[in-house]
Amino acid sequence: MQGRNGLPVCVKNMSDNGKEKEQVTLTIDGKEISVDKGTTVLDAATLMGIHIPTFCWHPKLDSIGACRMCLVDVEKFPKPAVACATEAMPGMIVRTDTDEIVKARRGVLEFMLLNHPLDCPTCDKGGECDLQDNVFHYGIDKSRQAFTRRRVIDDQTTDAFDDKRIGPEIIRNMNRCVTCYKCIRFNKEIAGEYDLGAYERGNHTVIDAAPGEQIDNFYSGNVVEICPVGALTNTDWRYKIRNWKAKQTLSLCSHDADGQNIMLWHDQRQLWRATSRRNDDIDDGWICNIARYGYQYINSPDRLKTPLIKKEGKQVPASWDEAISLISKRFKEIKDSKGSVCLAGLIGGNQSVETAYLFNKFFRNKLHTNNLDYRLEYIDLKGSDETEAYNCLYRAPFTIADLEQADVVFVFGSNFIKDHPAINLRLRKAYRKFGTKVYTANPVETKSADISLDEMIYSPDTETAFIAGLIHAIIDNKYYKNIDETKAAEVKTMLAPATLDEAARLCGIEQERIVNLAKVLSEANNPYILAGDYFVASAKRHRTANGMYDLANLLGIKDSNAIILASQANSMGADRVGVRPRLTENLKKTLIDKWGEELPESPGSNTSQILNNSLDEEIDGLFILGANPAMRYPDGPFVNSALDKLDFLVVADLFETATSAKADVVLPLAGWAEQSGAYVNVEGRYQKFEKAQDADKGIKSGIEIIHSIARAMDLSLNLDNAALMHETKDIVDAFEREARDEAKFFEVKQAQIPEHDNYPYRLLVGNDIHHFGYVTEHCPSLMRFTPEPYLEISPNLAEKLGIDEETLVRIESTTGKLVLKARFSEYFEGDVLFIPNNFSATEVTGLVSREGGGWVKIEKLDDK
Amino acid sequence: MEQVFLKYIDDPNQHKIDTYIEHGGYQAIQKVFKEYQPTEVIDTVKASGVRGRGGAGFPAGLKWSFVPQNTGKPIYLACNGDESEPGTCKDRVIMENNPHLIIEGIMICCYAINAHHAFIYIRGEFAHPAARVEAAINEAYAKGYLGKNIFGTGFDLDIIVHTGGGAYICGEETSLLSSIEGSRGNARIRPPFPAVEGLYKCPTVINNVETLSSLPSIFNNGVEWYRSHGTEKSPGTKIFSLSGNVNKPGNYEVDLGTPLSYVINDLGGGIQNGHKLKAIIPGGSSTPLLMPDQIDTPLDYEAVAEAGSMLGSGAIIVIDERSCMVWVLMKLINFYAHESCGRCTPCREGTAWLKQLINRIENGDGQPGDIELILDVCDNIMGRTICPLGDAAVMPVRSFIQHFRDEFEYHIEHKKCKVETDYPFV
Ligand SMILES: Cc1cc2nc3c(=O)[nH]c(=O)nc-3n(C[C@H](O)[C@H](O)[C@H](O)COP(=O)(O)O)c2cc1C
Ligand code: SF4
Ligand code: FES
């Protein structure tokens, strides 16, 4: 289907919250149509192909009937009605083409043009401007304006065009504004942000940042996209290219796991911007700033463009042939002398699913090793890849849009706005439109607090105790379903701490609140439990996952409704095609079928084990494709020494990184926009993206790299791109998860909480809100939001320690030291600190141990 | 004539609760609690025929009956004391002199519609009336007339005073609700009507101060008594705020249906210095003019409408021969352009344009064709806006040009007033 702006969109009518609707029949311009009850006259007309012009209407915002552009004549109504907010009624007779309506539209357009600067030649919106289009179709050709046009200028408007910067990326030109309020409505209704407002009155109304504020919220780019005119533009795209000269290519956000749909606008030379490509199943047409500006790394001048080979301890440029034959030679040597088990591979979670599959095939089927992984979190399991409970929840058949039908959602260990931008907005929508009740339990306060009925903050490292407490509450109060008392009593003995009271004390949350959550969840008809990045990054996550599994079983929560959310654009894809040491029986079978060969028998190592084994010299050759463990995996010193110990390290990446610095061979890697492929998002949804531009001649895609190494080793993979695409899709489709066994219960035992005597403050490490992974520091727009690393601290703690904002602070743990500027958190209240791990200049992971997380002491540096 | 609102206007203590009680106050509500079911209150108010005094004259009882009682949401009452229509100052006098009458009226209404929270929205400039109302509410709380378990009936009621920030638009009911919610005072589209989805998306009744103040008298004296005042379709008494070129401007409470001439000549002492009457704005600045030959029009909703205007808020502005109608209209349009909330295009841009055009005529820069342009702009505003402010701005423009087109033409042609005058303001 085509959207109103002519772009293809995937539209699903979710306004009815999933239920079948009564039909009403009405007549528009002499033709009858039947529509769902609740449909507006505007939507009904659009369905019939009758165009009604609009400005302030937006399919995903509440109608406010402000611009009056959509007036129509309704029989028996005393005056024209706004089509955008008039509900279709049985027998209604609507006309969109009477003389009165034609005059009304012309009147509105004349009013809008009265003070509009008509600076279309220098306006970025030209060519995709609702005002241009509406005047073109419905306007008058003669101006009756005899007065000087109104200009809005204040002491911050900067140049001849009366522009004013109101955010790191956003420029406002009030002269062009048609006062449709869409920007403000989006901000409030959808994002829950109040940094943008309307000030003054009448035709002096101005859209501006709230006093002392900037429009820097995480979804702020959307206001530029929905502005019907050029009143809001962004620095990203401004004055760079006329939009009709840019080509459009269907794409996806290459960062987080939600799979937001985007459109890339580009020419031969470079990508110019990304806009949303509405998909109601995922993003409703709203994209976060990372999806919007996070494409820019592709055109970074810092891209690697020639292979590097380490000679006498220094990496020097080399030809591709030289690099590939060296890799082939050394891999062969290791394989022949020490065996396949001494080779391993790590691939980043944002490589396409085809790349991930080929990587798997190369390692398993050609090199005969099971040492491969895509996960860069620490996994605290000896001799095992992951537990049954964890895997089961991680692969739950979750659907983002179904959240709208949730009556209760319990968010466990996630700062949604950072980890899952689309799920975050869907949750906000469920809350706002359908009254979904939200509860949260996190190690720190988050933005979601404003929609959370109870925001519980548990003490560091006690998530297992928390979930054990919740299970106690369910059993003690007989809230459980599907099991009898004997079984319940048995489950209770599998918990540590052994009572609710102890569990509550350990995690620092009052018993009543835990009991209340248990009660609310047990009374809900369609409850959800969603676990996110705090959960995934916690050292004992498998223990907590056991608890989550039990909890879902006790309450009879649907299989699709209890999920541990994947983190990266293709984490789920990599999982489905088997980029991990252990495979499900079903996947094994599929692969054996496809490859016509048995799989290697060695047990295989996950990321943690690969690094350990490298340190112990049990792994000698490692191929890292688009991943940066030296910057992202906890315990930097450990990772560095593990990589140093390797005999031979190959790193393929877009940039030189902390990891590539250790490599014997560095290969320049193509980015996602330089190739076609697919990602599998957090829901398990397979989505394609297309190639937008050619990579530089010196750069190769992951697929080409794997093929060339295989060829050089005489191990042909025998798959052209089309066949690879097909085979990958087959594997993804054939994936079958083992469903949750409702009769099964696991032990839920809180682990010993690590000692950290002289290091009193918990340090959390993760993504800054405007960064993701290690490539976004190459995106100038995102750097404008957060240009440098910082120490985020609660104002309370800062006051206690006499730390002012912007002052330098020394942070020290048992494993490392750092000096950073302090920044006060909008949300944190307690003794918790945060440092983003998106900046190559700071080795944050040096402060964090693998098993114990980050515990630090901090001290203000003397201001010298 | 018998009076309801201004009966004790000369008693300097009427705003105090004891005096109010001495004069028979808080009897009606006790009677209502004792003798009436909520639906009976609504029926009685319907039978009384009392109509909204905020301008539109909508039957109060009927409005209340639209409130759904089964939504599970709280129900609110908002008492409209924003009184900003130029010329109108009738609510002010009730708030200052007789605030307990309003409180008692609010209590009756809340009982009828099952509301436990009422808001009184008072315009920002009304510091003194707001203080009087606030003090009266405190007195009522102290006596146990407000709060929990009023008069031992188990009925709870809280009244909250909310003062405005100086915007005319906040008198318009949906803007008023936005303002109470803490948002910008912007009009909202209807439906949903406030009775179904108003304050905080809950069912809400909005009534004018004078409307609510009428209620105690209906229950004290009975429907028949109430209907013995006024006309069949416009029963009761009403305060008219008389201003302009009259000898004795002021607030006068009379039965609806009283002839306009009685108010202007008998109560208001006639036109200043025996000047000739030129035109009358009968119901607040937005209502179309009545001409001198219409001076006997009865002041009730139907008769004034028949005469081509509206009873509106009951603010009668008298204009005599000394005034230039271009100047008067300029004053009016400047007000409406200034007060447009900025929400919808025709009102936001249209009133500002009308202001520019009319000002240029007044300033001697008028161009041939300006009158036609003004009328066409009026057509593009009238009936095209979210709330009636746009219409309110257009109605006087049309009416002034209709009746005094010669003065506008003269202004354009001669770049000065047609009226030769010593009137100090022109
Ligand atoms: C622009 C505008 C201004 C208004 N100002 C007032 C006002 O100041 N006071 C008032 O009671 N009603 C005012 N109204 C009318 C209200 O919208 C509403 O109809 C009234 O308060 C309802 O009360 P009633 O039914 O008791 O008259 C105004 C309406 C408009 C369109
Ligand atoms: S800035 Fe754009 S989106 Fe916002 S009110 Fe103006 S025209 Fe509408
Ligand atoms: S689109 Fe309907 S009023 Fe603006």
Side-chain angles (χ1 to χ4, degrees):
Chain A
M1 164 166 187
Q2 295 225 312
R4 289 174 64 87
N5 54 3
L7 304 179
V9 293
C10 163
V11 181
K12 191 161 152 191
N13 187 3
M14 294 302 299
S15 61
D16 51 3
N17 199 4
K19 286 174 214 98
E20 279 279 319
K21 279 272 169 137
E22 219 179 288
Q23 296 287 298
V24 296
T25 303
L26 71 164
T27 307
I28 306 181
D29 290 348
K31 279 181 276 175
E32 267 197 4
I33 182 172
S34 290
V35 293
D36 287 353
K37 190 173 179 326
T39 304
T40 60
V41 169
L42 177 69
D43 286 339
T46 306
L47 284 173
M48 299 167 75
I50 296 173
H51 185 255
I52 297 176
T54 62
F55 284 105
C56 71
W57 171 83
H58 188 282
K60 299 289 172 181
L61 298 175
D62 293 348
S63 286
I64 60 167
C67 73
R68 319 303 284 178
M69 191 63 215
C70 66
L71 289 171
V72 293
D73 179 82
V74 183
E75 211 164 82
K76 301 209 186 80
F77 277 28
K79 49 187 185 179
V82 282
C84 68
T86 303
E87 196 180 314
M89 290 292 173
M92 199 178 232
I93 297 176
V94 179
R95 293 224 70 100
T96 72
D97 53 1
T98 62
D99 290 349
E100 190 192 17
I101 295 305
V102 169
K103 175 158 170 52
R105 286 176 181 166
R106 288 192 175 154
V108 169
L109 287 170
E110 179 176 42
F111 288 142
M112 284 190 169
L113 289 177
L114 268 187
N115 289 302
H116 192 87
L118 297 173
D119 54 352
C120 307
T122 54
C123 176
D124 274 292
K125 205 75 177 190
E128 52 180 16
C129 168
D130 286 357
L131 187 57
Q132 282 184 334
D133 292 352
N134 284 341
V135 172
F136 182 84
H137 290 293
Y138 305 99
I140 35 173
D141 50 8
K142 190 164 95 235
S143 171
R144 298 193 287 183
Q145 166 66 299
F147 300 93
T148 314
R149 282 167 210 273
R150 180 182 60 123
R151 287 173 62 191
V152 180
I153 312 171
D154 62 28
D155 50 8
Q156 288 161 55
T157 38
T158 47
D159 63 18
F161 300 120
D162 301 344
D163 287 342
K164 174 176 176 179
R165 182 175 285 282
I166 58 170
E169 265 297 311
I170 299 180
I171 311 277
R172 185 216 62 186
N173 183 312
M174 196 55 214
N175 301 349
R176 296 175 185 156
C177 172
V178 294
T179 329
C180 67
Y181 298 87
K182 274 200 244 186
C183 47
I184 298 172
R185 286 149 63 207
F186 161 78
N187 232 26
K188 262 202 222 182
E189 286 176 34
I190 308 296
E193 296 283 352
Y194 294 82
D195 47 17
L196 188 65
Y199 300 90
E200 304 299 327
R201 192 163 70 196
N203 88 333
H204 297 284
T205 302
V206 291
I207 307 295
D208 208 340
E213 296 260 1
Q214 292 210 62
I215 316 307
D216 56 2
N217 74 67
F218 186 46
Y219 297 97
S220 51
N222 290 299
V223 303
V224 172
E225 195 171 327
I226 58 174
C227 181
V229 290
L232 299 174
T233 50
N234 58 22
T235 341
D236 176 30
W237 162 261
R238 246 165 97 81
Y239 299 145
K240 291 198 178 139
I241 185 172
R242 305 265 47 179
N243 54 58
W244 56 88
K245 298 228 161 133
K247 289 205 186 68
Q248 297 171 41
T249 294
L250 306 176
S251 192
L252 300 167
C253 168
S254 66
H255 301 282
D256 63 72
D258 290 4
Q260 299 169 80
N261 287 197
I262 60 171
M263 183 70 82
L264 286 176
W265 299 65
H266 58 94
D267 60 10
Q268 296 316 325
R269 288 174 301 135
Q270 85 170 80
L271 306 179
W272 292 108
R273 72 168 168 182
T275 54
S276 75
R277 181 162 58 85
R278 179 175 156 200
N279 184 339
D280 287 355
D281 287 332
I282 296 170
D283 51 40
D284 261 351
W286 310 120
I287 59 174
C288 70
N289 283 349
I290 288 183
R292 185 176 303 278
Y293 305 122
Y295 71 87
Q296 292 169 346
Y297 68 92
I298 294 288
N299 294 122
S300 163
D302 304 333
R303 285 285 296 275
L304 264 172
K305 289 183 180 154
T306 43
L308 303 173
I309 290 182
K310 199 186 264 172
K311 287 186 181 150
E312 287 149 22
K314 266 182 76 184
Q315 292 176 344
V316 293
S319 73
W320 273 95
D321 286 347
E322 206 183 332
I324 297 289
S325 50
L326 179 60
I327 297 168
S328 138
K329 178 169 150 264
R330 299 289 286 120
F331 276 6
K332 261 196 218 150
E333 280 170 14
I334 295 170
K335 191 168 172 239
D336 295 344
S337 62
K338 302 203 162 178
S340 298
V341 285
C342 293
L343 288 173
L346 292 176
I347 185 170
N350 63 349
Q351 295 302 308
S352 73
V353 65
E354 290 79 11
T355 316
Y357 172 64
L358 197 67
F359 193 75
N360 181 17
K361 187 164 184 183
F362 176 57
F363 272 89
R364 280 215 159 86
N365 190 223
K366 301 297 170 194
L367 296 181
H368 298 292
T369 173
N370 287 322
N371 300 336
L372 75 171
D373 209 340
Y374 66 95
R375 294 161 298 175
L376 284 190
E377 320 82 65
Y378 166 65
I379 300 171
D380 175 35
L381 287 170
K382 308 265 146 30
S384 161
D385 172 352
E386 203 30 282
T387 58
E388 186 182 338
Y390 193 96
N391 277 341
C392 172
L393 296 166
Y394 185 59
R395 296 169 181 152
F398 165 73
T399 312
I400 295 176
D402 285 352
L403 274 180
E404 291 180 17
Q405 279 132 56
D407 48 2
V408 177
V409 176
F410 169 44
V411 176
F412 187 26
S414 175
N415 188 357
F416 256 2
I417 188 169
K418 275 193 204 177
D419 306 348
H420 295 285
I423 299 178
N424 178 53
L425 290 189
R426 193 65 67 148
L427 198 61
R428 299 193 82 84
K429 180 181 182 189
Y431 163 82
R432 197 181 76 87
K433 286 209 127 153
F434 307 117
T436 302
K437 292 186 185 131
V438 180
Y439 289 80
T440 51
N442 276 318
V444 286
E445 292 82 0
T446 68
K447 154 90 185 150
S448 304
D450 64 342
I451 59 165
S452 174
L453 285 175
D454 191 5
E455 187 192 39
M456 289 167 267
I457 307 299
Y458 50 76
S459 316
D461 299 321
T462 63
E463 38 279 275
T464 317
F466 178 84
I467 201 117
L470 204 49
I471 298 175
H472 278 300
I474 290 167
I475 295 177
D476 297 353
N477 294 290
K478 300 205 167 43
Y479 292 147
Y480 48 80
K481 302 167 186 168
N482 307 336
I483 56 165
D484 58 17
E485 277 185 39
T486 334
K487 184 73 195 172
E490 188 195 320
V491 173
K492 208 168 150 70
T493 62
M494 293 155 69
L495 307 175
T499 64
L500 170 57
D501 180 48
E502 271 176 72
R505 254 186 294 131
L506 193 62
C507 59
I509 296 169
E510 295 81 351
Q511 275 189 49
E512 305 81 70
R513 293 165 74 189
I514 300 179
V515 173
N516 180 52
L517 174 60
K519 182 161 185 281
V520 171
L521 283 170
S522 70
E523 287 169 355
N525 291 319
N526 189 22
Y528 275 76
I529 307 177
L530 307 179
D533 279 12
Y534 289 134
F535 185 113
V536 172
S538 65
K540 308 293 176 191
R541 62 183 197 177
H542 55 283
R543 294 174 179 243
T544 320
N546 284 353
M548 193 167 147
Y549 189 100
D550 293 359
L551 184 71
N553 278 347
L554 282 170
L555 296 175
I557 291 177
K558 279 197 275 182
D559 208 12
S560 56
N561 290 14
I563 179 164
I564 298 170
L565 299 163
S567 315
Q568 280 184 278
N570 192 49
S571 298
M572 270 293 139
D575 183 67
R576 292 215 166 178
V577 297
V579 186
R580 52 194 291 167
R582 276 171 197 69
L583 304 176
T584 60
E585 287 312 314
N586 163 270
L587 182 55
K588 269 188 204 160
K589 233 175 96 251
T590 318
L591 293 180
I592 294 170
D593 267 7
K594 278 274 174 226
W595 299 343
E597 244 178 71
E598 285 301 313
L599 304 180
E601 268 166 19
S602 59
S605 304
N606 64 25
T607 306
S608 306
Q609 292 151 351
I610 290 172
L611 291 171
N612 266 321
N613 294 347
S614 304
L615 198 62
D616 298 345
E617 298 186 43
E618 282 166 21
I619 283 183
D620 299 295
L622 177 60
F623 178 22
I624 301 181
L625 179 72
N628 188 0
M631 189 167 145
R632 306 285 296 177
Y633 189 87
D635 198 346
F638 161 78
V639 181
N640 283 329
S641 31
L643 298 178
D644 283 339
K645 276 280 173 74
L646 286 163
D647 274 354
F648 189 64
L649 172 64
V650 182
V651 174
D653 213 320
L654 281 77
F655 301 99
E656 291 191 75
T657 66
T659 306
S660 81
K662 306 264 171 208
D664 298 284
V665 179
V666 182
L667 301 173
L669 179 66
W672 106 111
E674 294 159 336
Q675 57 198 312
S676 302
Y679 285 146
V680 178
N681 82 345
V682 64
E683 309 163 289
R685 187 190 299 271
Y686 172 95
Q687 300 190 100
K688 283 190 179 167
F689 57 86
E690 313 265 319
K691 176 174 175 174
Q693 76 175 36
D694 290 328
D696 188 275
K697 282 191 294 299
I699 296 175
K700 287 192 196 303
S701 73
I703 292 173
E704 287 169 318
I705 292 173
I706 299 169
H707 275 307
S708 353
I709 300 175
R711 241 181 276 120
M713 294 177 77
D714 297 321
L715 303 167
S716 167
L717 283 155
N718 223 349
L719 270 177
D720 64 18
N721 279 350
L724 173 62
M725 211 51 152
H726 270 114
E727 197 162 316
T728 310
K729 181 77 173 29
D730 286 350
I731 308 270
V732 171
D733 288 346
F735 183 85
E736 255 175 47
R737 148 184 184 270
E738 282 149 32
R740 205 168 66 227
D741 177 352
E742 281 171 22
K744 201 163 194 174
F745 290 89
F746 295 99
E747 269 194 343
V748 185
K749 303 236 147 138
Q750 169 69 40
Q752 181 85 34
I753 293 169
E755 299 278 323
H756 41 81
D757 288 343
N758 299 318
Y759 299 90
Y761 306 116
R762 176 59 163 187
L763 171 68
L764 297 170
V765 167
N767 288 317
D768 170 72
I769 187 138
H770 274 103
H771 287 283
F772 199 94
Y774 61 96
V775 292
T776 53
E777 63 177 336
H778 301 284
C779 301
S781 292
L782 295 173
M783 289 300 274
R784 269 191 279 278
F785 287 91
T786 314
E788 55 181 17
Y790 52 85
L791 171 76
E792 189 172 11
I793 181 168
S794 74
N796 301 337
L797 181 57
E799 194 186 47
K800 204 161 79 186
L801 302 177
I803 293 171
D804 292 327
E805 216 157 359
E806 293 289 303
T807 52
L808 290 176
V809 178
R810 186 204 321 276
I811 309 121
E812 200 178 325
S813 78
T814 46
T815 44
K817 259 199 226 102
L818 259 187
V819 173
L820 287 173
K821 268 190 206 157
R823 195 167 104 173
F824 290 179
S825 170
E826 258 183 88
Y827 305 110
F828 295 5
E829 284 165 18
D831 291 356
V832 173
L833 306 167
F834 171 81
I835 302 177
N837 60 355
N838 309 102
F839 297 91
S840 46
T842 41
E843 288 169 14
V844 195
T845 49
L847 295 172
V848 186
S849 79
R850 278 165 293 153
E851 300 228 10
W855 285 98
V856 296
K857 58 184 178 191
I858 58 174
E859 169 188 30
K860 186 173 126 182
L861 281 195
D862 292 335
D863 357 45
K864 264 176 243 150
Chain B
M1 254 188 239
E2 219 170 341
Q3 296 194 321
V4 170
F5 314 107
L6 304 182
K7 190 165 175 187
Y8 299 103
I9 186 77
D10 296 326
D11 187 330
N13 289 320
Q14 176 64 16
H15 62 278
K16 301 214 170 114
I17 196 163
D18 293 334
T19 311
Y20 179 71
I21 292 171
E22 236 168 74
H23 290 148
Y26 290 113
Q27 292 300 319
I29 180 63
Q30 296 192 52
K31 189 166 160 194
V32 164
F33 277 144
K34 259 198 227 102
E35 297 170 17
Y36 291 78
Q37 290 301 314
T39 48
E40 292 167 343
V41 179
I42 297 183
D43 291 342
T44 308
V45 172
K46 270 189 188 162
S48 77
V50 60
R51 296 171 64 169
R53 303 291 196 244
F58 194 84
L62 186 60
K63 186 186 276 187
W64 302 359
S65 68
F66 295 150
V67 173
Q69 288 292 343
N70 53 358
T71 60
K73 295 182 186 173
I75 293 165
Y76 297 112
L77 169 68
C79 169
N80 192 344
D82 192 57
E83 190 161 71
S84 309
E85 175 90 344
T88 318
C89 51
K90 63 185 181 74
D91 297 337
R92 169 186 188 149
V93 68
I94 306 177
M95 289 190 265
E96 279 181 344
N97 175 253
N98 217 347
H100 287 285
L101 187 66
I102 310 174
I103 296 173
E104 193 175 1
I106 288 177
M107 292 167 83
I108 295 172
C109 174
C110 285
Y111 175 71
I113 62 172
N114 193 20
H116 302 287
H117 286 278
F119 295 82
I120 307 186
Y121 191 98
I122 303 178
R123 74 178 283 188
E125 296 86 339
F126 277 1
H128 184 241
R132 278 276 167 91
V133 172
E134 192 97 59
I137 289 173
N138 289 338
E139 283 181 322
Y141 270 109
K143 269 234 173 347
Y145 291 5
L146 288 175
K148 295 259 173 275
N149 191 17
I150 301 170
F151 298 116
T153 54
F155 189 80
D156 303 337
L157 177 63
D158 287 303
I159 303 184
I160 295 139
V161 173
H162 188 113
T163 52
Y168 167 64
I169 188 62
C170 289
E172 189 281 322
E173 56 186 23
T174 60
S175 311
L176 182 145
L177 299 179
S178 300
S179 177
I180 294 181
E181 288 172 4
S183 297
R184 181 179 156 84
N186 272 153
R188 309 177 187 167
I189 40 172
R190 282 159 292 207
F193 288 94
V196 179
E197 205 175 278
L199 194 58
Y200 307 111
K201 297 207 164 174
C202 298
T204 306
V205 164
I206 298 130
N207 270 133
N208 172 256
V209 162
E210 193 185 358
T211 317
L212 291 167
S213 301
S214 311
L215 303 174
S217 69
I218 298 172
F219 289 89
N220 279 329
N221 308 317
V223 166
E224 232 161 86
W225 169 87
Y226 189 77
R227 283 195 156 278
S228 73
H229 298 277
T231 68
E232 168 66 27
K233 288 193 171 151
S234 302
T237 67
K238 161 140 193 51
I239 305 177
F240 290 91
S241 304
L242 181 66
S243 67
N245 307 135
V246 287
N247 282 314
K248 289 198 288 176
N251 280 314
Y252 299 103
E253 180 178 351
V254 294
D255 286 5
L256 283 169
T258 303
L260 180 54
S261 55
Y262 179 80
V263 176
I264 294 178
N265 293 328
D266 298 53
L267 299 174
I271 313 297
Q272 281 170 352
N273 307 332
H275 279 293
K276 216 169 101 199
L277 176 64
K278 187 168 188 179
I280 305 151
I281 300 176
S285 61
S286 61
T287 55
L289 297 168
L290 293 183
M291 299 303 283
D293 61 353
Q294 294 173 300
I295 192 165
D296 289 324
T297 307
L299 289 170
D300 61 73
Y301 295 98
E302 289 67 34
V304 179
E306 208 164 292
S309 187
M310 283 155 48
L311 191 69
S313 61
I316 303 169
I317 303 172
V318 177
I319 301 167
D320 74 20
E321 55 184 346
R322 290 168 300 170
S323 294
C324 165
M325 295 310 267
V326 180
W327 178 82
V328 176
L329 183 63
M330 178 189 77
K331 286 300 195 193
L332 293 182
I333 193 66
N334 287 356
F335 172 80
Y336 286 105
H338 184 248
E339 296 297 340
S340 166
C341 78
R343 185 70 144 192
C344 63
T345 314
C347 174
R348 181 183 64 243
E349 302 297 331
T351 54
W353 198 10
L354 287 177
K355 173 181 161 179
Q356 287 178 312
L357 288 166
I358 293 166
N359 274 267
R360 92 167 168 192
I361 299 178
E362 169 64 21
N363 295 336
D365 298 325
Q367 304 292 318
D370 274 3
I371 296 175
E372 292 71 21
L373 179 54
I374 289 171
L375 290 175
D376 191 57
V377 172
C378 287
D379 290 345
N380 286 340
I381 300 174
M382 191 75 187
R384 307 277 188 268
T385 55
I386 296 180
C387 86
L389 192 143
D391 299 353
V394 164
M395 285 187 294
V397 177
R398 283 179 168 173
S399 170
F400 275 57
I401 293 180
Q402 180 198 338
H403 292 293
F404 299 96
R405 192 170 181 125
D406 55 329
E407 291 195 23
F408 287 81
E409 282 166 352
Y410 190 92
H411 242 284
I412 292 171
E413 194 174 332
H414 300 279
K415 313 208 175 300
K416 60 176 185 170
C417 304
K418 183 172 184 193
V419 183
E420 304 223 338
T421 176
D422 57 351
Y423 191 61
F425 299 112
V426 179

